[in-house]
Amino acid sequence: MVILILIGIIPSIIMTFGIVRSYEERAVSLRSVNVKNQCEIICNQLIQEDYLNQPTSELLNSQLTLVSNIYSGRILIINSDFVVIKDVYDLDAGRISVSEEVISCFKGNSVTQYDDTNQYIEMTIPIRDASKENIVGVMLVSVSTNEIAASVSALEQKAVLLLMIISVMVVAFSYLLSDILMKPFARVTRAIEDLTDGFLDGNISVTDYTETELITDAFNKMLTRVKTLDDSRQEFVSNVSHELKTPLTSMKVLADSLVGQENVPIELYQEFMQDITDEIDRENKIISDLLDLVKMDKKSVELNIRSVNLNEWLETVLKRLKPIAAKRNIELILDSFRTVQAEIDEVKLNLAISNLIENGIKYNVEDGWVRVSLDADHKYFYITIADSGIGIPEEALDHIFERFYRVDKSHSTEIEGNGLGLAITRNAIVMHHGAIKVRSTQGEGTTFSVRIPLSHVS
């Protein structure tokens, strides 16, 4: 019941006094704008009348006095020598004024301050010459906010009365409704506590009210997600174990074969050692990919952003991959529709785009092609990697960015890879606030479309 009372009263207090504070801020803001506008008009007249050199204009003096009287304030005119040439109160005329606000205003930083304790607004307004480029004087203005303070005080008194009425009503309703409202939530609590003993074994259902039904539905969805994450974790650990053990098993078989034979021919020895070297390279590639993936998973990872000419950068990427493509007579084609300059982490995005192009080469047909296209608009740049390869089955398109996922696991030993490349690629693109999409028809090829902002925003 206490919680219900607090829930009813605290928001009322915050809202009521928030409205009062909002009114005060709005009133002060309007007062400041009005005063500033009128003073800026007078500042222009001061320049036209050469008032800073001859402060004798009766018209301007009367205008300054009038504004001062209207807003119950005080106006001082200070020239470039920091001398007060006009004070509507005739107290500081002829004196030097080197306050922090005046000095700051001469540097081009006008200041508006509201002192709610002493109930006044103080502002500095630069007086610029006819060219509007140089500041030749400062108008220091103080205006009273007693009227605003009186209005705020009256609003606060009414707010206190309103809060007292609301408090009485909330307490009365809390006594009447606490039992009715809380009993279903107590049943939800008991149901959740009963479920914790068999955490992943069932759902809960308390449908007394819409609220309890929504809570139980949300809890059941969370429970389903936890199950999915747990299954994913177990599958990930299993896949990592399998991928890491496979090269080790191959190396052990090869080493045992050498150890178990006497007088091994040098040719066979060299062949086995080459196979062991290949398996070590494979193991190292898996570990490196896992480390890349872990680094990109970290929320706090920093990008080394710099401006890069993407046309030249893509030419360098393709040049590095041409020897791999030449082994299968795959043609690499680059289409640049315009010169594109973008802010990227060159290393991480290089890894992502290289993975996509290498996949286009690996999963291609002999004498095929991989076409890389670069385009941009005013906000994003677009990289498209299309190939003439074997394509991806439709049922696999939703899973290809999952870790260790291989489209055809029966051929995993025929085509090198560990199923981490596209997961790394997606993470690198997401880190750039970009997006990646895939279209594919089995037997006709695959197209990956990447979209990334031209300007990086942290």
Side-chain angles (χ1 to χ4, degrees), residues 283-301:
E283 183 90 2
N284 186 57
K285 179 67 167 61
I286 295 171
I287 293 173
S288 297
D289 285 349
L290 281 170
L291 290 174
D292 288 336
L293 198 59
V294 169
K295 289 177 183 177
M296 291 186 184
D297 273 346
K298 290 183 178 179
K299 301 293 185 184
S300 60
V301 66

Side-chain angles (χ1 to χ4, degrees), residues 142-173:
S142 298
V143 296
S144 172
T145 58
N146 289 333
E147 295 176 4
I148 297 175
S151 299
V152 170
S153 178
L155 283 175
E156 287 177 343
Q157 293 177 5
K158 294 179 180 179
V160 171
L161 178 61
L162 179 62
L163 285 174
M164 292 176 62
I165 296 173
I166 291 175
S167 299
V168 172
M169 293 177 62
V170 168
V171 171
F173 276 110

Side-chain angles (χ1 to χ4, degrees), residues 69-268:
N69 292 336
I70 290 174
Y71 295 105
S72 301
R74 181 183 182 187
I75 300 176
L76 283 76
I77 306 298
I78 303 165
N79 65 16
S80 58
D81 295 325
F82 297 94
V83 175
V84 179
I85 64 172
K86 175 63 178 178
D87 180 0
V88 295
Y89 283 7
D90 293 326
L91 297 177
D92 291 333
R95 295 184 180 181
I96 301 295
S97 176
V98 289
S99 66
E100 182 180 347
E101 294 81 3
V102 172
I103 295 174
S104 178
C105 189
F106 270 110
K107 293 180 179 179
N109 303 315
S110 59
V111 178
T112 300
Q113 298 177 339
Y114 172 51
D115 187 338
D116 58 350
T117 303
N118 297 310
Q119 299 176 0
Y120 72 88
I121 301 170
E122 183 177 81
M123 64 179 69
T124 56
I125 302 168
I127 303 173
R128 300 181 183 274
D129 60 12
S131 66
K132 302 298 181 182
E133 294 181 357
N134 301 316
I135 298 175
V136 295
V138 171
M139 180 181 289
L140 181 62
V141 184
S142 298
V143 296
S144 172
T145 58
N146 289 333
E147 295 176 4
I148 297 175
S151 299
V152 170
S153 178
L155 283 175
E156 287 177 343
Q157 293 177 5
K158 294 179 180 179
V160 171
L161 178 61
L162 179 62
L163 285 174
M164 292 176 62
I165 296 173
I166 291 175
S167 299
V168 172
M169 293 177 62
V170 168
V171 171
F173 276 110
S174 298
Y175 275 110
L176 293 174
L177 300 178
S178 59
D179 288 341
I180 299 174
L181 294 176
M182 297 307 296
K183 283 181 180 179
F185 291 99
R187 284 199 293 274
V188 172
T189 302
R190 287 196 298 271
I192 293 175
E193 290 173 348
D194 292 340
L195 188 61
T196 54
D197 293 333
F199 181 64
L200 298 178
D201 296 333
N203 295 329
I204 64 173
S205 177
V206 179
T207 58
D208 297 61
Y209 303 117
T210 302
E211 291 77 9
T212 57
E213 187 174 2
L214 291 174
I215 291 173
T216 54
D217 287 345
F219 181 83
N220 290 332
K221 289 178 182 178
M222 181 191 69
L223 192 63
T224 301
R225 179 166 177 77
V226 169
K227 293 177 184 178
T228 303
L229 290 174
D230 188 63
D231 293 341
S232 176
R233 178 186 59 80
Q234 293 182 12
E235 183 180 2
F236 179 75
V237 172
S238 175
N239 287 332
V240 170
S241 301
H242 173 74
E243 293 290 340
L244 293 177
K245 285 176 64 178
T246 301
L248 291 174
T249 302
S250 299
M251 285 186 280
K252 188 176 188 309
V253 170
L254 292 167
D256 288 344
S257 298
L258 290 176
V259 172
Q261 300 180 48
E262 296 182 0
N263 301 321
V264 179
I266 187 64
E267 295 82 4
L268 183 61

Side-chain angles (χ1 to χ4, degrees), residues 424-437:
I424 294 172
T425 295
R426 181 182 179 278
N427 278 19
I429 292 170
V430 169
M431 289 171 67
H432 284 79
H433 305 292
I436 181 170
K437 295 182 179 180

